[in-house]
């Protein structure tokens, strides 16, 4: 500690510096060297940039207002705060909903079983989940492919071998991959929750084809996915009442995590950054006051020459 203080004092960090004169202070400004033409040019660029930004915002708002879909309301999610983490119990329940309901049609090809460790499952539980599936592997020494139990490094299985098979099983509609669906849809988890709970009878004047259902939150209102979440469609391991809204809330939270697996780490870094920046700003303010004290406290006066 003494050596550190010695180095700080030796570097003249806290020592006063001679006061600057008027000419030296004026030379610190770079705008004084600009011509009137340059100043007008930069002012025009700033005004033009602001105008373009305002125009883009106005066009986006008008496009949203002219859409045929209903915009999802903002939900009070537990993780919506600046330093709030995901509800990991809800993430675990959401995985159960995906496994028992959504995985029948939707894939998650970018999520591996190892990603569940420390988030919603222990290592032993994640290994058990992976071992419950069969993965085609190979070739072996004889050049043949074989099926083996899943491992932690395996990704969630796809319900269809290819896109054509998926379309053939869903009246031509392709079920999207859900790995990053929350980040890929405007409204995020609010949109997913509203879509899953927003099925209604089609109003008068709305024609639906065979295999289509009415959902005002889906663009156009006609969606090929039937309503899949009902009260008590599954049973939770922890005994939570499986209402339709609870199922939609949990799977939306789970999909939020799959879209942003770094969510909690990012907010932890924010807390650390705020703590460090508070110390650095306070130290910088003290040094600034110390260094500029001679300049701001000086007195300039005129002493005429004596004849």
């Amino acid at each position: 500690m003494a050596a550190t203080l010695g180095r700080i004092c030796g570097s003249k960090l806290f020592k006063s510096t001679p006061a600057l004169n008027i000419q030296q202070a004026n030379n610190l400004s770079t705008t004084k060297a600009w011509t009137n033409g340059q100043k007008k040019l930069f002012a025009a660029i700033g005004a033009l940039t602001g105008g373009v930004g305002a125009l883009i915002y106005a066009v986006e708002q008008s496009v949203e207002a002219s859409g045929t879909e209903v915009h999802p309301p903002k939900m009070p999610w537990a993780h919506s705060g600046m330093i709030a983490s995901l509800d990991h119990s809800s993430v675990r329940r959401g995985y159960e909903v995906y496994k028992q309901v959504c995985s029948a049609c939707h894939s998650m090809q970018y999520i591996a079983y190892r990603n569940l460790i420390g988030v919603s499952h222990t290592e032993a539980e994640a290994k058990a989940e992976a071992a419950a599936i069969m993965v085609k592997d190979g070739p072996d020494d004889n050049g043949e492919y074989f099926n083996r139990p899943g491992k932690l490094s395996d990704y969630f299985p796809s319900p269809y071998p290819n896109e054509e098979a998926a379309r053939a099983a869903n009246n031509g509609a392709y079920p999207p991959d859900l790995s990053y669906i929350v980040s890929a849809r405007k409204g995020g988890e609010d949109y997913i929750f509203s879509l899953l709970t927003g099925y209604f009878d089609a109003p008068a004047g709305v024609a639906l084809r065979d295999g289509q259902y009415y959902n005002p939150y889906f663009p156009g209102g006609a969606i090929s996915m039937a309503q899949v979440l009902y009260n008590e469609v599954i049973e939770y391991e922890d005994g939570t009442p499986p209402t339709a809204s609870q199922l939609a809330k949990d799977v939306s939270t789970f999909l939020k995590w799959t879209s942003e697996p770094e969510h909690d780490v990012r907010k932890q870094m924010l807390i650390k950054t705020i703590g460090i920046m508070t110390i650095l700003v306070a130290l910088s303010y003290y040094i600034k006051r110390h260094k500029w004290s001679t300049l701001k406290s000086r007195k300039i006066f005129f002493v005429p020459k004596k004849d």
Side-chain angles (χ1 to χ4, degrees):
M1 188 67 180
T4 303
L5 291 175
R7 286 195 297 271
I8 294 176
C9 297
S11 63
K12 301 181 180 180
L13 184 63
F14 297 106
K15 291 185 178 180
S16 300
T17 56
L20 298 175
N21 56 38
I22 296 296
Q23 185 63 33
Q24 290 175 330
N26 289 335
N27 290 337
L28 297 176
S29 176
T30 59
T31 58
K32 292 184 177 298
W34 292 357
T35 63
N36 290 333
Q38 290 176 324
K39 294 179 180 179
K40 293 179 180 179
L41 175 62
F42 282 106
I45 292 176
L48 181 62
T49 303
V52 171
L55 178 62
I56 293 175
Y57 177 78
V59 170
E60 181 183 4
Q61 295 300 314
S62 64
V63 170
E64 290 183 359
S66 62
T68 57
E69 70 274 10
V70 177
H71 299 294
K74 188 68 176 178
M75 300 295 178
W77 298 97
H79 57 266
S80 60
M82 183 178 296
I83 57 175
S85 66
L86 290 169
D87 183 353
H88 289 259
S89 297
S90 182
V91 173
R92 183 185 179 101
R93 293 193 298 268
Y95 168 75
E96 295 180 39
V97 178
Y98 168 77
K99 177 184 175 182
Q100 300 184 45
V101 180
C102 307
S103 63
C105 297
H106 294 274
S107 62
M108 297 193 77
Q109 59 179 330
Y110 301 108
I111 305 300
Y113 286 96
R114 66 173 180 269
N115 300 132
L116 299 175
I117 300 176
V119 177
S120 59
H121 294 70
T122 63
E123 183 175 353
E125 291 173 335
K127 286 182 177 179
E129 291 291 330
I133 66 171
M134 299 302 294
V135 179
K136 186 176 182 180
D137 204 348
D140 56 13
D141 295 339
N142 297 324
E144 296 179 354
Y145 288 87
F146 59 93
N147 291 327
R148 61 164 176 81
K151 301 182 295 186
L152 288 177
S153 58
D154 291 323
Y155 290 83
F156 288 6
S158 176
Y160 305 105
N162 50 59
E163 180 178 343
E164 287 71 19
R167 291 187 181 277
N170 293 276
N171 296 324
Y174 179 60
D177 184 88
L178 298 183
S179 301
Y180 302 107
I181 194 67
V182 168
S183 298
R185 296 294 184 268
K186 186 175 180 61
E189 57 269 41
D190 293 325
Y191 169 77
I192 301 299
F193 178 86
S194 299
L195 183 72
L196 293 174
T197 59
Y199 286 86
F200 301 95
D201 293 332
V206 177
L208 298 176
R209 299 177 182 177
D210 292 338
Q212 288 187 332
Y213 308 88
Y214 181 72
N215 193 315
Y217 296 100
F218 189 77
I223 185 172
S224 297
M225 183 181 73
Q227 184 175 0
V228 295
L229 298 183
Y230 298 92
N231 294 335
E232 299 181 354
V233 69
I234 68 170
E235 292 184 2
Y236 283 131
E237 293 179 352
D238 60 0
T240 301
T243 61
S245 58
Q246 182 68 48
L247 296 170
K249 178 254 185 185
D250 290 335
V251 75
S252 298
T253 304
F254 173 70
L255 295 177
K256 174 68 174 180
W257 167 73
T258 61
S259 297
E260 300 179 16
E262 79 292 345
H263 179 275
D264 289 356
V265 177
R266 186 176 68 245
K267 291 190 175 181
Q268 287 177 352
M269 289 300 298
L270 175 62
I271 297 175
K272 297 177 182 179
T273 301
I274 292 176
I276 294 174
M277 290 303 297
T278 300
I279 298 174
L280 293 179
V281 168
L283 181 61
S284 300
Y285 178 75
Y286 172 78
I287 295 176
K288 178 260 182 186
R289 294 279 296 178
H290 183 78
K291 286 289 186 180
W292 286 79
S293 60
T294 55
L295 179 63
K296 292 194 173 188
S297 61
R298 68 182 181 175
K299 182 186 294 184
I300 301 176
F301 57 91
F302 174 72
V303 178
K305 295 182 179 180
K306 295 183 179 180
D307 294 335

